[in-house]
Amino acid sequence: MKHNGAALAHDPTNIIIAGVGGQGNIMASQLLGKLLVTKGFEVIIGETYGASQRGGSVMSHLRVAGKGGISPIIPKGKAHYIIALEPAEALRVMGEYGNPDVRVLSNTRPIYPVDVSTGALDYPDLDNLKKIITDHAKETFFVDATDIALRVKTPILANIIMLGAFAQWGVVPLSVDEFKEAIRQSVPEKHLKKNIEAFEEGMRALAAS
Amino acid sequence: MSYLSKDSPGEVNLLMGNEAIARGAIEAGVAFASAYPGNPSSEIITVLGSLAQELGIYVEWSTNEKVAVEAAAGASYAGLRSICAMKQNGLNVASDFISNAVLTGVGPGGMVLIVADDPGGISSSNEEDTRYFSRLLEIPLLEPAGFQEAKDMTAFAFKLSEETGLIVMIRSVTRISHGRGNVVYSKIEKGNKKARFDTGRTVLAFPVPWTHKILHDKMAVIKDKFEESDFNRYEGPKGADLVVVTSGAAYLYTKEALGLLGLSDRVGVLKLGTTFPLPEDFITRGLKGAKKVLVAEEVIPFLEASVKEAYANHVKDLGVIEFYGKASGHIPRENELSPDIMAQAIAGLTGTGYVPVDPAYQAEIRGLSLPNSPYRALTFCAGCPHRATYWDLKKALKLDGRDGFIVGDIGCYTIGLGPQGYSMLRTTHAMGSGSGLATGLGQLKTFGLDQPVLAVSGDSTFYHSVIPALINAAHHESNFTMVVLDNSTTAMTGAQPHSGSDTGAMGIPAHGLSIEKICESLGAKVRVLDPFDVDKSVQSIYDTIQDDEGIKVIIMRQECCLYRLKKDEKRYLMKIDETRCLGDACGCNRLCTRVFKCPGIIWDRAGKVARIDEVICNGCGVCTDICPEGAIIREVNHEA
Ligand code: SF4
Ligand code: SF4
C-alpha cells in the first residue's frame, strides 16, 4: 500500500476518540478516517455506541496501518493517542487502554452522568482528575472546547474545536489544509463558516496551552 | 452523486460495514430492498433508500420483518434482485416464511438476506446467534470477516442465489456492520429492472419430501462451490502444530493476536467465509498435520460443532487432533471476542505469555480510573417525552392506588425498567410483547386479578406487532389499557420512518396510517394526550383506568426530542430562581433532580440549589410543572 510518502509514527497507530452520546464522536472519527484513507493508509474504525445516545459513554477506535493486521478493537493498553471530548471519559479510557507512553488531548467540560446530576454520586474533583491524567500520560493537553463553543452558543461545535487542537498537535501525517478540506466536504454549506472558525479556535487553543 | 453510487472500479473508500453491504448490492444491480429497522442492521436500508431515486430502485421500511422478507421474495419472483436486512431478533419473526421458501425456492431474481447479529447485546435485548438458523432452515451462509468481504460477499450472494434459486444469508455482527474500513470498489452491474411474474410457474413446496430432496441436491452443489471459494483460505506456515479455525470478526481478532504475540509464522489460521454448508474437504486439507485446533468464534459454538463433525468424517486422514474452543473453556461462550481474549487463548495453548502493559502501571491506572470515572447509566435524553409519560403514569397509578402495573417491550422506553423511568415498567421481551401479555392479564378478573393492567409500546412497534394483540383483545374483550408512546419515529434505531409516517425510506410521500383510527375501528376507546401536559395527562390516565370494560388506548403524542432538535432550536429557555429553590428542604427531597431525574437539571452540592445545564437541557419545559415551588422558570424561545 502506498502512503503518498507520509509516515506513521506507529504502525498501527491507535487513536481513541472518547465522549458521551450526542457529543459528535462519530463525526470526528469518520472525518479523520476518511482523510487518512485518501492518503493511502489502511484504516479501521470500531465504534462502541449501542444505546449511548441516551447518556452512555461512546468510544471510537481509530486505527491506521501501513501493513494491515488490525481489528476494530484496540488491544488493552495499546492506545497511542486519546482524544477525549469529556475529561472523566479520558480517564475511563486510560484505565483500559492507557500505557506510560500514551498521549492525551482532553476537553475540560464535564458532562454529568445522570447519577451525578441527581446528586447520588459525586463528579470527581476536576483538578485531581487532570492531575491523574497528566501523571499517567507521556504528554497531556487540556482544551476548554465546550466553553469556547458556548461563546458562539453552539456547544455541539466542541468536537470540531477538539479536531482543530488535534490538527495543531500534528501527530498524524495530515496537513491543516487537508483537515479543512475534509470539514468542507462533510459539513453542510450553511454551517461551514462556524465550523471552520471553531476548527481554528481549537488550533489556537492548543498552540496557547 | 453519493460516494456509494459512483461507478468507479478500483476506487478505495472508507465504508461502514453496512454501507459496504449496500454497495455490494448496488454493484450487483439490486432493484428492490426492504427491512424493518433494527441495530446493528439499519443503515443498509437507510443508505439504499437515500439513493433509490438516483439508482431507479425501490426501497421500503416494511411494517415488520416477516412482511419485509415476503416483499423482497415477491420482487425476486418477478425477476428482480432483492435484498432484505434485519437484526438477529428480526429473523425469528421472518423465519416462518423462510422455512417454506427454502422448499419452494425463490424466483429468477436472486434474493439475499442480511442478518446483523449483536454479540454482547450492545444494542439488543439478547445476543442470539442466527447462524444456527442456516442449519435449521437450510440456507447457505456467508460470514464476512471484514469490510471488503462485506461488499464482495453481498455481490457474490446474488449470483449464488440466482444460480441455485435459494435465498442466501449473510451474517454480519456489530463490529463489522457498525465498524468502518477500506473498501475497493468494483463495477456496478446494470441488473434487470424489468419485472414480470411468470404465470407458467406455480411456486409450491409439495410434495414436501420431494422438494426437500431438491433442496439437498442444491446444497450439495453449493458445498462444491464453497470448496473452491476464495472466501476460505489457509494462512500461515504449512503443517503448523496449532491451527486456529475462525470466521467473521473473530478472524480479525485472531490475526491481530498473532501479531501481538509474534506468532504469525508459527500458528496456522484457517479462515472460513462460507460456513454452511461446510467445505469439509477444504477444511480437511487445512488441518492436515495439525496436532491442536482452536476454534474461535463469537457466542454459540456453531463452527466448533461443525468442524468437529467434519473431523469425525475424515478422522482416518487426519489422525489424532485435540480440539480447543468453547467446550474446553478457552473461548468464552458469551459476549464479543477481542484481540486480548484471542491473545490469551493462543498464548495459553502455545506456552508463550502475553503481558500487554507494565503490570504496575496498569494496576495503578485502573485503581485510579474506576473511582474517578463515574458510571454512566442509560437514561432518557434530556427533554424526552417518555420520561414525562412515565412520570404521568406513575402519578396516575399512585392516585388510583390499586397497585396497577405496566408491561412492555423494547425501544427507548425500555429504560422505564430502571430508576430513570421510575421503575414503572415490569416486563420486556420481544417487539409488542407487552400488548400480548396484557391480553392474557386482562382476562384474569374471574381469577381475582383486581389490579389495573397497562401495556406500553412505541409507535413503530404498534404497527410491527401490537395490532394482532389488540385484535385478539378486542375479539375476546380483554380488559386493559394500551399506552402507545407516539414520538413519530423509530427513535431507538436512528429515526427511521414507519407506517404512520408521511414519507418513506426513499424520501417520497407515503400514506401515513393513523393509530387512533386503527384502534377505533377495533372498538377501542381512544384518548390522545400530550405527555408534557402533566396535569391533564395524569387526570386522563386516571379516568381511563377507572373504566374496566374492554380495551382502552391512550396515545401519548410528542415528538422525540433528539430528532426534533435536529430540526429547530429549544422550545423554552430555562432558568432556576435560586431564591425559590428549596434545595434539600424541598418537599420530596429535591423533587426535580433526585426524583424526576432529567439530566438537564443538575444538583449543585456546594450551592445547595438545582441548576439548569445549558449544554444538556433541551428546553422541553416539563420541569417547570414538576417543581412545586415554581422555582423552574421557562421562557418561550423566540429563536425557535
Ligand atoms: S426543560 Fe427541564 S425537563 Fe426539559 S430538558 Fe430542560 S431540564 Fe430537562
Ligand atoms: S432518542 Fe428520542 S425517544 Fe429515545 S430517549 Fe432520546 S428523546 Fe427519548
Side-chain angles (χ1 to χ4, degrees):
Chain A
M1 197 151 241
K2 57 172 183 345
H3 321 124
N4 305 353
L8 287 173
H10 311 273
D11 192 357
T13 296
N14 298 328
I15 304 170
I16 297 182
I17 306 181
V20 178
Q23 280 197 298
N25 251 73
I26 295 169
M27 192 268 181
S29 66
Q30 214 180 315
L31 192 140
L32 204 52
K34 287 204 168 171
L35 206 47
L36 286 156
V37 169
T38 60
K39 298 284 278 185
F41 291 108
E42 181 175 340
V43 172
I44 288 190
I45 306 176
E47 309 275 15
T48 302
Y49 47 98
S52 43
Q53 276 290 15
R54 292 117 199 123
S57 304
V58 203
M59 183 167 58
S60 306
H61 286 193
L62 174 64
R63 319 197 61 193
V64 197
K67 46 181 195 296
I70 45 174
S71 76
I73 299 179
I74 294 176
K76 297 281 156 67
K78 302 288 182 195
H80 299 109
Y81 306 103
I82 295 171
I83 308 173
L85 304 177
E86 202 277 352
E89 292 308 309
L91 185 56
R92 189 192 314 280
V93 166
M94 283 174 81
E96 293 284 301
Y97 301 94
N99 56 71
D101 292 319
V102 72
R103 291 160 202 266
V104 181
L105 168 63
S106 177
N107 186 4
T108 50
R109 168 82 176 215
I111 291 184
Y112 288 167
V114 65
D115 291 322
V116 171
S117 60
T118 61
L121 286 179
D122 276 327
Y123 192 86
D125 175 72
L126 198 57
D127 289 330
N128 187 39
L129 187 61
K130 285 180 169 177
K131 183 174 181 321
I132 299 170
I133 295 171
T134 311
D135 288 351
H136 293 85
K138 184 140 197 164
E139 188 178 24
T140 313
F141 294 100
F142 291 102
V143 173
D144 301 325
T146 306
D147 299 326
I148 298 172
L150 275 173
R151 270 193 252 134
V152 290
K153 291 206 165 116
T154 323
I156 187 67
L157 285 179
N159 66 343
I160 298 291
I161 293 170
M162 291 299 287
L163 207 61
F166 184 70
Q168 177 72 21
W169 200 4
V171 295
V172 285
L174 296 170
S175 72
V176 167
D177 286 342
E178 285 167 328
F179 270 99
K180 284 189 181 169
E181 184 50 37
I183 294 173
R184 261 179 219 113
Q185 283 176 17
S186 51
V187 170
E189 186 62 40
K190 62 173 178 172
H191 300 311
L192 191 59
K193 194 163 157 277
K194 262 194 168 180
N195 273 268
I196 295 287
E197 279 167 18
F199 179 83
E200 286 170 348
E201 288 265 17
M203 289 180 60
R204 279 195 289 279
L206 192 99
S209 68
Chain B
M1 180 178 284
S2 152
Y3 60 98
L4 286 166
S5 55
K6 277 203 315 206
D7 195 9
S8 46
E11 189 178 308
V12 185
N13 273 287
L14 181 72
L15 299 192
M16 179 193 247
N18 282 342
E19 291 177 330
I21 291 169
R23 171 73 194 186
I26 293 169
E27 287 181 2
V30 74
F32 190 103
S34 55
Y36 181 81
N39 283 342
S41 71
S42 311
E43 294 82 1
I44 301 167
I45 293 298
T46 304
V47 159
L48 289 173
S50 69
L51 300 172
Q53 298 189 59
E54 175 188 335
L55 295 167
I57 64 176
Y58 176 83
V59 184
E60 72 170 34
W61 287 117
S62 311
T63 304
N64 65 33
E65 294 86 352
K66 179 167 177 282
V67 175
V69 84
E70 288 160 347
S76 164
Y77 287 123
L80 301 179
R81 284 190 164 178
S82 66
I83 191 167
C84 181
M86 58 193 64
K87 72 179 294 173
Q88 78 273 15
N89 309 62
L91 187 52
N92 301 326
V93 179
S95 63
D96 199 6
F97 173 79
I98 300 170
S99 70
N100 292 293
V102 291
L103 298 185
T104 61
V106 282
M111 173 167 168
V112 176
L113 171 69
I114 310 284
V115 185
D117 285 1
D118 190 15
I122 298 168
S123 50
S124 305
S125 55
N126 65 30
E127 57 174 345
E128 182 175 338
D129 186 336
T130 57
R131 292 176 303 167
Y132 263 105
F133 266 108
S134 73
R135 287 198 89 149
L136 176 69
L137 307 179
E138 301 182 82
I139 335 169
L141 175 67
L142 305 171
E143 289 185 68
F147 307 92
Q148 183 72 42
E149 272 195 354
K151 176 184 85 65
D152 294 344
M153 277 185 177
T154 307
F156 168 77
F158 277 105
K159 289 200 186 75
L160 187 65
S161 173
E162 272 177 19
E163 282 165 19
T164 59
L166 294 177
I167 296 173
V168 176
M169 168 171 160
I170 295 180
R171 184 246 194 179
S172 179
V173 292
T174 302
R175 294 289 167 192
I176 305 279
S177 274
H178 278 177
R180 289 171 200 273
N182 294 40
V183 175
V184 186
Y185 282 6
S186 305
K187 230 182 102 29
I188 295 181
E189 278 177 45
K190 266 199 73 44
N192 177 34
K193 299 279 173 356
K194 177 100 189 73
R196 170 125 206 114
F197 188 92
D198 176 6
T199 47
R201 175 184 175 188
T202 304
V203 177
L204 86 179
F206 307 110
V208 170
W210 184 67
T211 52
H212 202 181
K213 171 76 170 58
I214 294 175
L215 172 62
H216 290 148
D217 292 346
K218 287 178 179 175
M219 280 299 187
V221 172
I222 291 174
K223 176 187 166 287
D224 288 345
K225 287 184 194 287
F226 284 0
E227 294 285 1
E228 307 299 323
S229 170
D230 291 339
F231 297 129
N232 306 316
R233 55 182 186 266
Y234 180 87
E235 296 171 357
K238 275 227 147 49
D241 235 36
L242 172 64
V243 173
V244 184
V245 180
T246 185
S247 66
Y251 163 77
L252 298 175
Y253 307 139
T254 301
K255 292 293 280 185
E256 174 134 31
L258 290 173
L260 289 171
L261 297 167
L263 290 176
S264 303
D265 49 15
R266 261 184 62 195
V267 176
V269 177
L270 195 61
K271 182 254 176 228
L272 298 176
T274 68
T275 46
F276 184 80
L278 206 63
E280 285 198 5
D281 301 333
F282 172 81
I283 291 172
T284 308
R285 285 198 301 281
L287 297 187
K288 200 119 207 172
K291 303 273 180 307
K292 293 178 185 171
V293 167
L294 172 65
V295 185
E297 64 193 316
E298 294 180 311
V299 195
I300 289 185
F302 171 80
L303 205 54
E304 189 169 326
S306 326
V307 170
K308 283 178 177 169
E309 194 181 308
Y311 171 67
N313 293 337
H314 296 86
V315 68
K316 268 208 225 124
D317 298 340
L318 289 170
V320 176
I321 294 179
E322 286 169 27
F323 280 87
Y324 300 90
K326 295 185 194 276
S328 69
H330 287 76
I331 303 287
R333 285 168 174 268
E334 307 82 21
N335 211 344
E336 297 188 286
L337 295 182
S338 67
D340 301 275
I341 293 172
M342 286 313 300
Q344 296 300 355
I346 296 169
L349 287 174
T350 49
T352 46
Y354 177 60
V355 183
V357 210
D358 169 17
Y361 173 91
Q362 196 173 42
E364 190 174 312
I365 191 74
R366 287 211 170 143
L368 288 164
S369 159
L370 220 57
N372 288 297
S373 47
Y375 176 67
R376 292 190 190 274
L378 275 192
T379 178
F380 295 114
C381 301
C384 174
H386 298 339
R387 179 183 292 104
T389 292
Y390 280 119
W391 183 265
D392 301 340
L393 286 165
K394 173 179 133 132
K395 293 193 82 170
L397 286 179
K398 199 166 170 206
L399 209 61
D400 174 78
R402 285 178 293 162
D403 202 19
F405 62 96
I406 307 172
V407 290
D409 62 40
I410 30 185
C412 286
Y413 48 94
T414 308
I415 296 173
L417 288 166
Q420 311 308 325
Y422 323 115
S423 304
M424 292 307 291
L425 190 60
R426 296 293 160 194
T427 69
T428 180
H429 300 91
M431 295 285 287
S433 287
S435 56
L437 291 178
T439 63
L441 287 159
Q443 296 292 1
L444 304 184
K445 202 171 169 184
T446 50
F447 295 94
L449 189 101
D450 55 4
Q451 300 153 280
V453 176
L454 292 87
V456 291
S457 92
D459 41 347
S460 193
T461 313
F462 175 84
Y463 302 102
H464 180 286
S465 46
V466 169
I467 293 172
L470 280 187
I471 291 175
N472 187 53
H475 179 59
H476 296 292
E477 293 184 36
S478 178
N479 172 28
F480 70 95
T481 302
M482 183 73 222
V483 185
V484 182
L485 285 67
D486 180 4
N487 59 5
S488 27
T489 188
T490 316
M492 187 78 198
T493 48
Q496 295 80 10
H498 54 57
S499 306
S501 312
D502 45 21
T503 38
M506 300 188 284
I508 55 177
H511 181 56
L513 301 171
S514 148
I515 298 176
E516 45 270 51
K517 281 197 188 144
I518 293 171
C519 294
E520 276 159 5
S521 76
L522 301 175
K525 295 166 228 170
V526 183
R527 288 177 202 239
V528 180
L529 303 173
D530 174 2
F532 287 173
D533 188 344
V534 175
D535 291 343
K536 182 170 174 215
S537 293
V538 172
Q539 188 60 47
S540 287
I541 297 167
Y542 174 82
D543 292 345
T544 304
I545 58 183
Q546 301 318 305
D547 170 1
D548 59 1
E549 295 269 297
I551 38 169
K552 284 90 50 183
V553 174
I554 297 177
I555 302 170
M556 301 299 278
R557 183 165 288 149
Q558 184 59 256
E559 239 181 317
C560 163
C561 78
L562 191 61
Y563 300 104
R564 187 176 58 79
L565 273 183
K566 288 195 173 154
K567 290 186 265 164
D568 55 41
E569 303 281 324
K570 297 177 185 182
R571 204 169 291 176
Y572 294 104
L573 297 175
M574 307 299 296
K575 63 172 188 245
I576 291 192
D577 179 346
E578 292 186 11
T579 59
R580 286 204 224 166
C581 173
L582 295 181
D584 272 328
C586 168
C588 213
N589 190 1
R590 292 186 281 110
L591 189 66
C592 60
T593 52
R594 197 186 60 86
V595 185
F596 181 60
K597 291 188 171 71
C598 174
I601 327 170
I602 52 184
W603 175 241
D604 176 350
R605 276 209 176 182
K608 296 208 181 304
V609 283
R611 287 191 197 290
I612 297 289
D613 184 329
E614 56 180 318
V615 178
I616 307 293
C617 166
N618 284 329
C620 72
V622 168
C623 51
T624 297
D625 295 338
I626 303 296
C627 175
E629 296 301 318
I632 308 179
I633 319 268
R634 66 178 172 219
E635 260 170 51
V636 174
N637 178 13
H638 294 291
E639 278 174 41

